[in-house]
């Protein structure tokens, strides 16, 4: 397995390089620049700034310099946040995004797997139809619509929870953004679990377990749940990365100072290095999560062999 992990790691390098190249040239092709403002700078000052940040060099030379700096672990200075490097901004924002996304995925797993399993055990019952109806609703309504609705109901009308910000970092401030991020994932995971569990419950080894007189709870938890989770695990890799990286809109709505908020501010201000740093960091996370999912397969399904 170690050899397989190393092979996948080495194979991910060209993917990451292509991601960096595409993002770099697309960002530079966008109109405007980091020093554009309502009041134009004197030409001499702007020329000095461009020279200081190497923006006066040919684009290919800038790209080569940027890749070399990344190899050395340097994402460069931020054009917008003058006193910080991009590495420092990522280090400050990622723990917040990780806490937000990780909590949302944990909630989605607990609720989604439980709801999907109950729906499968009671197939075609009212419970099954209710779970599927709620799941379809959760998939259909995007979280940037659900988030303002939750704020309106729980923060404005009822006054139970804060409408935004992270305050002192307590869970009261995290509940609404976490729930907003988790709802679509709960819907997907419950549907995946239900479909897979129904198929597994009809397998011969489950019939054998039932024929031996084992309690239904033991049959489900010990024999059926593990193979039924394989499709969920496949989904978890990109989903976890998407939740952590896709909290851009949610962080903006709730005023959470995570990586997504830096990304939006960087894009609006043409902060090339900050946008590139967040894109590269997110790309590396997605590759890492997909690799972890492949490795978890070996634990869930011993039949899986790695070359």
């Amino acid at each position: 397995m170690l050899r397989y992990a190393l092979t996948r790691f080495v194979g991910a390098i060209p993917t990451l390089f292509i991601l960096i190249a595409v993002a770099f040239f697309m960002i530079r092709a966008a109109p405007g620049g980091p020093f554009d403002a309502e009041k134009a700078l004197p030409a001499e000052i702007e020329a000095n700034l461009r020279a200081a940040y190497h923006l006066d060099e040919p684009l290919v030379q800038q790209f080569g310099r940027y890749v070399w700096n990344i190899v050395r672990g340097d994402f460069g200075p931020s054009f917008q946040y003058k006193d910080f490097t991009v590495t420092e901004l990522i280090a400050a924002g990622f723990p917040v995004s990780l806490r937000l996304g990780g909590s949302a995925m944990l909630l989605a797993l607990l609720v989604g797997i439980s709801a999907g399993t109950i729906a499968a055990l009671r197939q075609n019952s009212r419970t099954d139809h209710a779970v599927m109806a709620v799941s379809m609703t959760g998939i259909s309504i995007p979280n940037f619509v659900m988030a303002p609705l939750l704020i309106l109901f729980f923060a404005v009308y009822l006054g139970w929870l804060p409408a935004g910000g992270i305050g002192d970092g307590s869970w009261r401030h995290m509940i609404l953004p976490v729930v907003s991020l988790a709802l679509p994932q709960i819907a997907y995971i419950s549907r995946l679990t239900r479909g897979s569990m129904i198929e597994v419950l009809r397998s011969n080894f489950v019939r054998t377990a039932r024929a031996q007189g084992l309690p239904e709870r033991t049959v489900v938890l010990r024999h059926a749940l593990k193979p039924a989770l394989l499709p969920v695990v496949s989904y978890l890799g990109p989903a976890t990365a998407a939740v952590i990286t896709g909290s851009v809109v949610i962080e903006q709505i709730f005023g959470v100072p995570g990586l997504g908020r830096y990304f939006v501010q960087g894009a609006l201000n043409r902060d090339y290095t900050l946008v590139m740093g967040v894109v590269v960091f997110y790309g590396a996370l997605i590759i890492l999560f997909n690799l972890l999912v492949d490795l978890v397969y070996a634990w869930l399904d011993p039949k899986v062999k790695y070359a």
Side-chain angles (χ1 to χ4, degrees):
M1 184 179 294
L2 180 61
R3 183 180 177 184
Y4 174 80
L6 290 175
T7 304
R8 286 289 307 273
F9 179 77
V10 173
I13 293 176
T15 305
L16 198 56
F17 179 78
I18 293 172
L19 171 69
I20 294 171
V22 171
F24 182 89
F25 289 107
M26 285 186 67
I27 290 172
R28 296 307 172 94
F35 307 119
D36 293 347
E38 293 182 2
K39 184 179 180 180
L41 293 172
E44 296 81 5
I45 295 178
E46 183 170 347
N48 289 335
L49 286 172
R50 295 181 66 82
Y53 290 107
H54 305 287
L55 296 176
D56 57 340
E57 297 175 350
L59 204 55
V60 175
Q61 186 176 344
Q62 292 181 44
F63 176 68
R65 181 188 298 278
Y66 184 74
V67 172
W68 174 242
N69 288 337
I70 287 182
V71 171
R72 296 186 301 164
D74 181 11
F75 286 98
S78 168
F79 296 153
Q80 180 67 22
Y81 302 93
K82 303 296 184 185
D83 298 329
F84 298 93
T85 65
V86 173
T87 305
E88 289 172 340
L89 292 175
I90 291 175
F94 181 62
V96 179
S97 295
L98 182 63
R99 184 185 177 196
L100 184 64
S103 302
M105 281 309 298
L106 183 61
L107 177 65
L109 280 174
L110 291 174
V111 178
I113 291 175
S114 302
T117 302
I118 292 172
L121 292 173
R122 301 178 181 178
Q123 188 182 5
N124 296 327
S125 67
R126 289 183 180 179
T127 303
D128 183 19
H129 295 316
V131 170
M132 289 302 98
V134 172
S135 299
M136 187 56 67
T137 304
I139 293 172
S140 304
I141 302 177
N143 52 19
F144 60 81
V145 175
M146 184 60 73
L149 294 176
L150 292 175
I151 292 174
L152 186 66
F153 188 72
F154 289 101
V156 178
Y157 289 157
L158 298 178
W160 290 352
L161 296 169
I166 59 171
D168 56 355
S170 66
W171 279 106
R172 289 188 72 249
H173 291 83
M174 299 296 289
I175 288 176
L176 289 183
V178 166
V179 171
S180 300
L181 270 178
L183 284 177
Q185 304 307 322
I186 290 173
Y188 284 116
I189 291 174
S190 64
R191 290 180 68 84
L192 282 172
T193 304
R194 175 188 178 273
S196 179
M197 181 62 79
I198 288 174
E199 185 177 344
V200 171
L201 288 175
R202 294 171 179 168
S203 303
N204 290 332
F205 69 91
V206 173
R207 292 195 190 98
T208 302
R210 284 172 171 160
Q212 290 175 343
L214 294 177
E216 187 66 15
R217 182 177 179 179
T218 302
V219 172
V220 172
L221 295 180
R222 184 176 298 175
H223 298 280
L225 185 59
K226 196 173 174 181
L229 288 181
L230 285 174
V232 177
V233 171
S234 301
Y235 174 73
L236 276 185
T240 303
V243 166
I244 293 175
T245 61
S247 60
V248 174
V249 178
I250 296 299
E251 288 178 6
Q252 277 294 108
I253 292 175
F254 288 98
V256 177
L259 266 187
R261 198 175 179 193
Y262 285 132
F263 179 81
V264 173
Q265 293 299 324
L268 292 176
N269 294 307
R270 300 291 188 275
D271 193 339
Y272 297 148
T273 50
L274 179 56
V275 174
M276 280 298 302
V278 175
V279 169
V280 173
F281 188 73
Y282 280 171
L285 270 186
I286 291 173
I287 292 171
L288 176 64
F289 280 123
N290 279 290
L291 174 60
L292 291 177
V293 164
D294 288 345
L295 298 179
V296 169
Y297 250 84
W299 175 71
L300 286 175
D301 188 356
K303 292 183 293 185
V304 175
K305 301 294 182 185
Y306 296 112

PDB file of all heavy atoms in Angstrom, residues 30-60:
ATOM      1  N   ALA A  30      -7.464  38.155 -16.860  1.00  0.00           N
ATOM      2  CA  ALA A  30      -8.613  38.962 -16.414  1.00  0.00           C
ATOM      3  C   ALA A  30      -8.271  40.441 -16.498  1.00  0.00           C
ATOM      4  O   ALA A  30      -7.135  40.838 -16.239  1.00  0.00           O
ATOM      5  CB  ALA A  30      -8.983  38.581 -14.979  1.00  0.00           C
ATOM      6  N   PRO A  31      -9.229  41.302 -16.866  1.00  0.00           N
ATOM      7  CA  PRO A  31      -8.952  42.736 -16.957  1.00  0.00           C
ATOM      8  C   PRO A  31      -8.697  43.343 -15.570  1.00  0.00           C
ATOM      9  O   PRO A  31      -9.158  42.824 -14.555  1.00  0.00           O
ATOM     10  CB  PRO A  31     -10.238  43.302 -17.573  1.00  0.00           C
ATOM     11  CG  PRO A  31     -11.293  42.290 -17.264  1.00  0.00           C
ATOM     12  CD  PRO A  31     -10.608  40.960 -17.250  1.00  0.00           C
ATOM     13  N   GLY A  32      -7.944  44.441 -15.557  1.00  0.00           N
ATOM     14  CA  GLY A  32      -7.633  45.102 -14.291  1.00  0.00           C
ATOM     15  C   GLY A  32      -6.334  44.606 -13.705  1.00  0.00           C
ATOM     16  O   GLY A  32      -5.695  43.688 -14.230  1.00  0.00           O
ATOM     17  N   GLY A  33      -5.899  45.239 -12.634  1.00  0.00           N
ATOM     18  CA  GLY A  33      -4.649  44.859 -11.990  1.00  0.00           C
ATOM     19  C   GLY A  33      -4.703  45.164 -10.511  1.00  0.00           C
ATOM     20  O   GLY A  33      -5.636  45.816 -10.021  1.00  0.00           O
ATOM     21  N   PRO A  34      -3.700  44.702  -9.762  1.00  0.00           N
ATOM     22  CA  PRO A  34      -3.721  44.891  -8.302  1.00  0.00           C
ATOM     23  C   PRO A  34      -3.559  46.344  -7.863  1.00  0.00           C
ATOM     24  O   PRO A  34      -3.871  46.666  -6.724  1.00  0.00           O
ATOM     25  CB  PRO A  34      -2.534  44.039  -7.832  1.00  0.00           C
ATOM     26  CG  PRO A  34      -1.648  43.918  -9.015  1.00  0.00           C
ATOM     27  CD  PRO A  34      -2.533  43.928 -10.210  1.00  0.00           C
ATOM     28  N   PHE A  35      -3.070  47.220  -8.757  1.00  0.00           N
ATOM     29  CA  PHE A  35      -2.825  48.606  -8.361  1.00  0.00           C
ATOM     30  C   PHE A  35      -3.846  49.561  -8.966  1.00  0.00           C
ATOM     31  O   PHE A  35      -3.657  50.775  -8.933  1.00  0.00           O
ATOM     32  CB  PHE A  35      -1.406  49.015  -8.759  1.00  0.00           C
ATOM     33  CG  PHE A  35      -0.362  48.068  -8.263  1.00  0.00           C
ATOM     34  CD1 PHE A  35       0.458  47.394  -9.151  1.00  0.00           C
ATOM     35  CD2 PHE A  35      -0.231  47.812  -6.905  1.00  0.00           C
ATOM     36  CE1 PHE A  35       1.401  46.497  -8.688  1.00  0.00           C
ATOM     37  CE2 PHE A  35       0.703  46.918  -6.436  1.00  0.00           C
ATOM     38  CZ  PHE A  35       1.529  46.254  -7.338  1.00  0.00           C
ATOM     39  N   ASP A  36      -4.919  49.001  -9.549  1.00  0.00           N
ATOM     40  CA  ASP A  36      -5.995  49.849 -10.051  1.00  0.00           C
ATOM     41  C   ASP A  36      -6.809  50.366  -8.879  1.00  0.00           C
ATOM     42  O   ASP A  36      -7.113  49.644  -7.937  1.00  0.00           O
ATOM     43  CB  ASP A  36      -6.924  49.061 -10.982  1.00  0.00           C
ATOM     44  CG  ASP A  36      -6.203  48.660 -12.263  1.00  0.00           C
ATOM     45  OD1 ASP A  36      -5.107  49.196 -12.497  1.00  0.00           O
ATOM     46  OD2 ASP A  36      -6.735  47.826 -13.005  1.00  0.00           O
ATOM     47  N   ALA A  37      -7.157  51.641  -8.913  1.00  0.00           N
ATOM     48  CA  ALA A  37      -7.968  52.243  -7.854  1.00  0.00           C
ATOM     49  C   ALA A  37      -8.793  53.367  -8.455  1.00  0.00           C
ATOM     50  O   ALA A  37      -8.638  53.715  -9.635  1.00  0.00           O
ATOM     51  CB  ALA A  37      -7.066  52.786  -6.739  1.00  0.00           C
ATOM     52  N   GLU A  38      -9.726  53.867  -7.624  1.00  0.00           N
ATOM     53  CA  GLU A  38     -10.551  54.966  -8.126  1.00  0.00           C
ATOM     54  C   GLU A  38      -9.681  56.149  -8.534  1.00  0.00           C
ATOM     55  O   GLU A  38      -9.940  56.817  -9.521  1.00  0.00           O
ATOM     56  CB  GLU A  38     -11.551  55.389  -7.044  1.00  0.00           C
ATOM     57  CG  GLU A  38     -12.596  54.329  -6.736  1.00  0.00           C
ATOM     58  CD  GLU A  38     -13.588  54.802  -5.709  1.00  0.00           C
ATOM     59  OE1 GLU A  38     -13.480  55.962  -5.268  1.00  0.00           O
ATOM     60  OE2 GLU A  38     -14.468  54.002  -5.347  1.00  0.00           O
ATOM     61  N   LYS A  39      -8.624  56.420  -7.748  1.00  0.00           N
ATOM     62  CA  LYS A  39      -7.688  57.490  -8.098  1.00  0.00           C
ATOM     63  C   LYS A  39      -6.420  56.839  -8.644  1.00  0.00           C
ATOM     64  O   LYS A  39      -5.728  56.108  -7.931  1.00  0.00           O
ATOM     65  CB  LYS A  39      -7.363  58.330  -6.866  1.00  0.00           C
ATOM     66  CG  LYS A  39      -6.473  59.518  -7.167  1.00  0.00           C
ATOM     67  CD  LYS A  39      -6.220  60.327  -5.908  1.00  0.00           C
ATOM     68  CE  LYS A  39      -5.312  61.519  -6.223  1.00  0.00           C
ATOM     69  NZ  LYS A  39      -5.058  62.322  -4.997  1.00  0.00           N
ATOM     70  N   ALA A  40      -6.111  57.112  -9.914  1.00  0.00           N
ATOM     71  CA  ALA A  40      -4.971  56.471 -10.558  1.00  0.00           C
ATOM     72  C   ALA A  40      -3.666  56.925  -9.912  1.00  0.00           C
ATOM     73  O   ALA A  40      -3.494  58.095  -9.533  1.00  0.00           O
ATOM     74  CB  ALA A  40      -4.970  56.808 -12.042  1.00  0.00           C
ATOM     75  N   LEU A  41      -2.725  55.971  -9.775  1.00  0.00           N
ATOM     76  CA  LEU A  41      -1.418  56.299  -9.215  1.00  0.00           C
ATOM     77  C   LEU A  41      -0.580  57.011 -10.265  1.00  0.00           C
ATOM     78  O   LEU A  41      -0.757  56.803 -11.473  1.00  0.00           O
ATOM     79  CB  LEU A  41      -0.714  55.006  -8.788  1.00  0.00           C
ATOM     80  CG  LEU A  41      -1.336  54.226  -7.620  1.00  0.00           C
ATOM     81  CD1 LEU A  41      -0.628  52.888  -7.467  1.00  0.00           C
ATOM     82  CD2 LEU A  41      -1.218  55.034  -6.331  1.00  0.00           C
ATOM     83  N   PRO A  42       0.348  57.870  -9.847  1.00  0.00           N
ATOM     84  CA  PRO A  42       1.297  58.436 -10.815  1.00  0.00           C
ATOM     85  C   PRO A  42       2.043  57.317 -11.540  1.00  0.00           C
ATOM     86  O   PRO A  42       2.339  56.270 -10.948  1.00  0.00           O
ATOM     87  CB  PRO A  42       2.232  59.275  -9.935  1.00  0.00           C
ATOM     88  CG  PRO A  42       1.409  59.611  -8.735  1.00  0.00           C
ATOM     89  CD  PRO A  42       0.527  58.424  -8.501  1.00  0.00           C
ATOM     90  N   ALA A  43       2.357  57.564 -12.809  1.00  0.00           N
ATOM     91  CA  ALA A  43       2.963  56.511 -13.646  1.00  0.00           C
ATOM     92  C   ALA A  43       4.262  56.001 -13.040  1.00  0.00           C
ATOM     93  O   ALA A  43       4.553  54.792 -13.080  1.00  0.00           O
ATOM     94  CB  ALA A  43       3.197  57.051 -15.052  1.00  0.00           C
ATOM     95  N   GLU A  44       5.079  56.909 -12.458  1.00  0.00           N
ATOM     96  CA  GLU A  44       6.367  56.474 -11.900  1.00  0.00           C
ATOM     97  C   GLU A  44       6.163  55.544 -10.712  1.00  0.00           C
ATOM     98  O   GLU A  44       6.862  54.527 -10.569  1.00  0.00           O
ATOM     99  CB  GLU A  44       7.189  57.700 -11.455  1.00  0.00           C
ATOM    100  CG  GLU A  44       7.595  58.638 -12.566  1.00  0.00           C
ATOM    101  CD  GLU A  44       6.479  59.597 -12.961  1.00  0.00           C
ATOM    102  OE1 GLU A  44       5.423  59.579 -12.287  1.00  0.00           O
ATOM    103  OE2 GLU A  44       6.633  60.338 -13.951  1.00  0.00           O
ATOM    104  N   ILE A  45       5.196  55.871  -9.845  1.00  0.00           N
ATOM    105  CA  ILE A  45       4.945  55.032  -8.665  1.00  0.00           C
ATOM    106  C   ILE A  45       4.422  53.657  -9.076  1.00  0.00           C
ATOM    107  O   ILE A  45       4.858  52.621  -8.554  1.00  0.00           O
ATOM    108  CB  ILE A  45       3.945  55.731  -7.721  1.00  0.00           C
ATOM    109  CG1 ILE A  45       4.566  57.015  -7.170  1.00  0.00           C
ATOM    110  CG2 ILE A  45       3.530  54.807  -6.585  1.00  0.00           C
ATOM    111  CD1 ILE A  45       3.647  57.802  -6.275  1.00  0.00           C
ATOM    112  N   GLU A  46       3.486  53.654 -10.054  1.00  0.00           N
ATOM    113  CA  GLU A  46       2.956  52.359 -10.501  1.00  0.00           C
ATOM    114  C   GLU A  46       4.055  51.508 -11.144  1.00  0.00           C
ATOM    115  O   GLU A  46       4.107  50.290 -10.943  1.00  0.00           O
ATOM    116  CB  GLU A  46       1.810  52.574 -11.486  1.00  0.00           C
ATOM    117  CG  GLU A  46       1.168  51.256 -11.918  1.00  0.00           C
ATOM    118  CD  GLU A  46      -0.123  51.445 -12.691  1.00  0.00           C
ATOM    119  OE1 GLU A  46      -0.644  52.580 -12.685  1.00  0.00           O
ATOM    120  OE2 GLU A  46      -0.588  50.468 -13.279  1.00  0.00           O
ATOM    121  N   ALA A  47       4.946  52.162 -11.906  1.00  0.00           N
ATOM    122  CA  ALA A  47       6.050  51.414 -12.529  1.00  0.00           C
ATOM    123  C   ALA A  47       6.962  50.830 -11.462  1.00  0.00           C
ATOM    124  O   ALA A  47       7.435  49.683 -11.576  1.00  0.00           O
ATOM    125  CB  ALA A  47       6.829  52.335 -13.461  1.00  0.00           C
ATOM    126  N   ASN A  48       7.233  51.599 -10.395  1.00  0.00           N
ATOM    127  CA  ASN A  48       8.081  51.088  -9.305  1.00  0.00           C
ATOM    128  C   ASN A  48       7.422  49.917  -8.588  1.00  0.00           C
ATOM    129  O   ASN A  48       8.088  48.941  -8.215  1.00  0.00           O
ATOM    130  CB  ASN A  48       8.376  52.208  -8.302  1.00  0.00           C
ATOM    131  CG  ASN A  48       9.323  53.247  -8.864  1.00  0.00           C
ATOM    132  OD1 ASN A  48      10.103  52.948  -9.773  1.00  0.00           O
ATOM    133  ND2 ASN A  48       9.249  54.467  -8.354  1.00  0.00           N
ATOM    134  N   LEU A  49       6.088  50.013  -8.376  1.00  0.00           N
ATOM    135  CA  LEU A  49       5.368  48.910  -7.724  1.00  0.00           C
ATOM    136  C   LEU A  49       5.397  47.652  -8.590  1.00  0.00           C
ATOM    137  O   LEU A  49       5.625  46.544  -8.084  1.00  0.00           O
ATOM    138  CB  LEU A  49       3.909  49.320  -7.456  1.00  0.00           C
ATOM    139  CG  LEU A  49       3.684  50.306  -6.307  1.00  0.00           C
ATOM    140  CD1 LEU A  49       2.235  50.771  -6.282  1.00  0.00           C
ATOM    141  CD2 LEU A  49       4.052  49.653  -4.980  1.00  0.00           C
ATOM    142  N   ARG A  50       5.174  47.803  -9.872  1.00  0.00           N
ATOM    143  CA  ARG A  50       5.186  46.643 -10.771  1.00  0.00           C
ATOM    144  C   ARG A  50       6.574  46.006 -10.805  1.00  0.00           C
ATOM    145  O   ARG A  50       6.700  44.781 -10.862  1.00  0.00           O
ATOM    146  CB  ARG A  50       4.749  47.059 -12.179  1.00  0.00           C
ATOM    147  CG  ARG A  50       3.300  47.531 -12.253  1.00  0.00           C
ATOM    148  CD  ARG A  50       2.932  47.916 -13.685  1.00  0.00           C
ATOM    149  NE  ARG A  50       2.939  46.763 -14.565  1.00  0.00           N
ATOM    150  CZ  ARG A  50       1.948  45.915 -14.688  1.00  0.00           C
ATOM    151  NH1 ARG A  50       0.836  46.088 -13.974  1.00  0.00           N
ATOM    152  NH2 ARG A  50       2.023  44.891 -15.493  1.00  0.00           N
ATOM    153  N   ALA A  51       7.609  46.852 -10.755  1.00  0.00           N
ATOM    154  CA  ALA A  51       8.970  46.306 -10.751  1.00  0.00           C
ATOM    155  C   ALA A  51       9.260  45.591  -9.431  1.00  0.00           C
ATOM    156  O   ALA A  51       9.909  44.535  -9.404  1.00  0.00           O
ATOM    157  CB  ALA A  51       9.976  47.437 -10.982  1.00  0.00           C
ATOM    158  N   ALA A  52       8.753  46.158  -8.333  1.00  0.00           N
ATOM    159  CA  ALA A  52       8.999  45.541  -7.025  1.00  0.00           C
ATOM    160  C   ALA A  52       8.376  44.160  -6.920  1.00  0.00           C
ATOM    161  O   ALA A  52       8.933  43.260  -6.279  1.00  0.00           O
ATOM    162  CB  ALA A  52       8.456  46.460  -5.925  1.00  0.00           C
ATOM    163  N   TYR A  53       7.213  43.982  -7.544  1.00  0.00           N
ATOM    164  CA  TYR A  53       6.531  42.674  -7.508  1.00  0.00           C
ATOM    165  C   TYR A  53       6.795  41.848  -8.770  1.00  0.00           C
ATOM    166  O   TYR A  53       6.107  40.863  -9.018  1.00  0.00           O
ATOM    167  CB  TYR A  53       5.023  42.887  -7.340  1.00  0.00           C
ATOM    168  CG  TYR A  53       4.647  43.400  -5.967  1.00  0.00           C
ATOM    169  CD1 TYR A  53       4.243  44.716  -5.777  1.00  0.00           C
ATOM    170  CD2 TYR A  53       4.693  42.561  -4.857  1.00  0.00           C
ATOM    171  CE1 TYR A  53       3.887  45.186  -4.519  1.00  0.00           C
ATOM    172  CE2 TYR A  53       4.347  43.020  -3.602  1.00  0.00           C
ATOM    173  CZ  TYR A  53       3.949  44.329  -3.438  1.00  0.00           C
ATOM    174  OH  TYR A  53       3.609  44.781  -2.188  1.00  0.00           O
ATOM    175  N   HIS A  54       7.752  42.251  -9.594  1.00  0.00           N
ATOM    176  CA  HIS A  54       8.152  41.542 -10.821  1.00  0.00           C
ATOM    177  C   HIS A  54       7.012  41.443 -11.834  1.00  0.00           C
ATOM    178  O   HIS A  54       6.988  40.538 -12.665  1.00  0.00           O
ATOM    179  CB  HIS A  54       8.649  40.129 -10.483  1.00  0.00           C
ATOM    180  CG  HIS A  54       9.763  40.112  -9.478  1.00  0.00           C
ATOM    181  ND1 HIS A  54      11.048  40.504  -9.775  1.00  0.00           N
ATOM    182  CD2 HIS A  54       9.762  39.781  -8.161  1.00  0.00           C
ATOM    183  CE1 HIS A  54      11.811  40.410  -8.694  1.00  0.00           C
ATOM    184  NE2 HIS A  54      11.056  39.962  -7.696  1.00  0.00           N
ATOM    185  N   LEU A  55       6.050  42.361 -11.786  1.00  0.00           N
ATOM    186  CA  LEU A  55       4.943  42.315 -12.736  1.00  0.00           C
ATOM    187  C   LEU A  55       5.322  42.949 -14.072  1.00  0.00           C
ATOM    188  O   LEU A  55       4.532  42.894 -15.024  1.00  0.00           O
ATOM    189  CB  LEU A  55       3.715  43.052 -12.151  1.00  0.00           C
ATOM    190  CG  LEU A  55       3.113  42.420 -10.897  1.00  0.00           C
ATOM    191  CD1 LEU A  55       1.975  43.273 -10.365  1.00  0.00           C
ATOM    192  CD2 LEU A  55       2.638  41.010 -11.183  1.00  0.00           C
ATOM    193  N   ASP A  56       6.510  43.541 -14.154  1.00  0.00           N
ATOM    194  CA  ASP A  56       6.950  44.123 -15.426  1.00  0.00           C
ATOM    195  C   ASP A  56       7.713  43.109 -16.272  1.00  0.00           C
ATOM    196  O   ASP A  56       8.120  43.414 -17.389  1.00  0.00           O
ATOM    197  CB  ASP A  56       7.837  45.345 -15.148  1.00  0.00           C
ATOM    198  CG  ASP A  56       9.046  44.991 -14.278  1.00  0.00           C
ATOM    199  OD1 ASP A  56       8.994  43.931 -13.600  1.00  0.00           O
ATOM    200  OD2 ASP A  56      10.013  45.758 -14.268  1.00  0.00           O
ATOM    201  N   GLU A  57       7.920  41.903 -15.742  1.00  0.00           N
ATOM    202  CA  GLU A  57       8.640  40.876 -16.490  1.00  0.00           C
ATOM    203  C   GLU A  57       7.689  40.178 -17.462  1.00  0.00           C
ATOM    204  O   GLU A  57       6.465  40.249 -17.292  1.00  0.00           O
ATOM    205  CB  GLU A  57       9.214  39.833 -15.510  1.00  0.00           C
ATOM    206  CG  GLU A  57      10.246  40.409 -14.551  1.00  0.00           C
ATOM    207  CD  GLU A  57      10.707  39.390 -13.525  1.00  0.00           C
ATOM    208  OE1 GLU A  57      10.081  38.296 -13.449  1.00  0.00           O
ATOM    209  OE2 GLU A  57      11.657  39.695 -12.789  1.00  0.00           O
ATOM    210  N   PRO A  58       8.238  39.508 -18.510  1.00  0.00           N
ATOM    211  CA  PRO A  58       7.363  38.708 -19.399  1.00  0.00           C
ATOM    212  C   PRO A  58       6.568  37.673 -18.604  1.00  0.00           C
ATOM    213  O   PRO A  58       7.044  37.161 -17.580  1.00  0.00           O
ATOM    214  CB  PRO A  58       8.362  38.037 -20.349  1.00  0.00           C
ATOM    215  CG  PRO A  58       9.562  38.930 -20.324  1.00  0.00           C
ATOM    216  CD  PRO A  58       9.635  39.498 -18.936  1.00  0.00           C
ATOM    217  N   LEU A  59       5.360  37.352 -19.079  1.00  0.00           N
ATOM    218  CA  LEU A  59       4.452  36.485 -18.320  1.00  0.00           C
ATOM    219  C   LEU A  59       5.049  35.105 -18.050  1.00  0.00           C
ATOM    220  O   LEU A  59       4.897  34.548 -16.962  1.00  0.00           O
ATOM    221  CB  LEU A  59       3.125  36.359 -19.092  1.00  0.00           C
ATOM    222  CG  LEU A  59       1.895  36.009 -18.264  1.00  0.00           C
ATOM    223  CD1 LEU A  59       1.700  36.998 -17.125  1.00  0.00           C
ATOM    224  CD2 LEU A  59       0.655  35.969 -19.149  1.00  0.00           C
ATOM    225  N   VAL A  60       5.748  34.567 -19.065  1.00  0.00           N
ATOM    226  CA  VAL A  60       6.341  33.233 -18.892  1.00  0.00           C
ATOM    227  C   VAL A  60       7.409  33.274 -17.794  1.00  0.00           C
ATOM    228  O   VAL A  60       7.523  32.340 -16.985  1.00  0.00           O
ATOM    229  CB  VAL A  60       6.940  32.738 -20.226  1.00  0.00           C
ATOM    230  CG1 VAL A  60       7.664  31.411 -20.019  1.00  0.00           C
ATOM    231  CG2 VAL A  60       5.850  32.590 -21.280  1.00  0.00           C
TER     232      VAL A  60
END
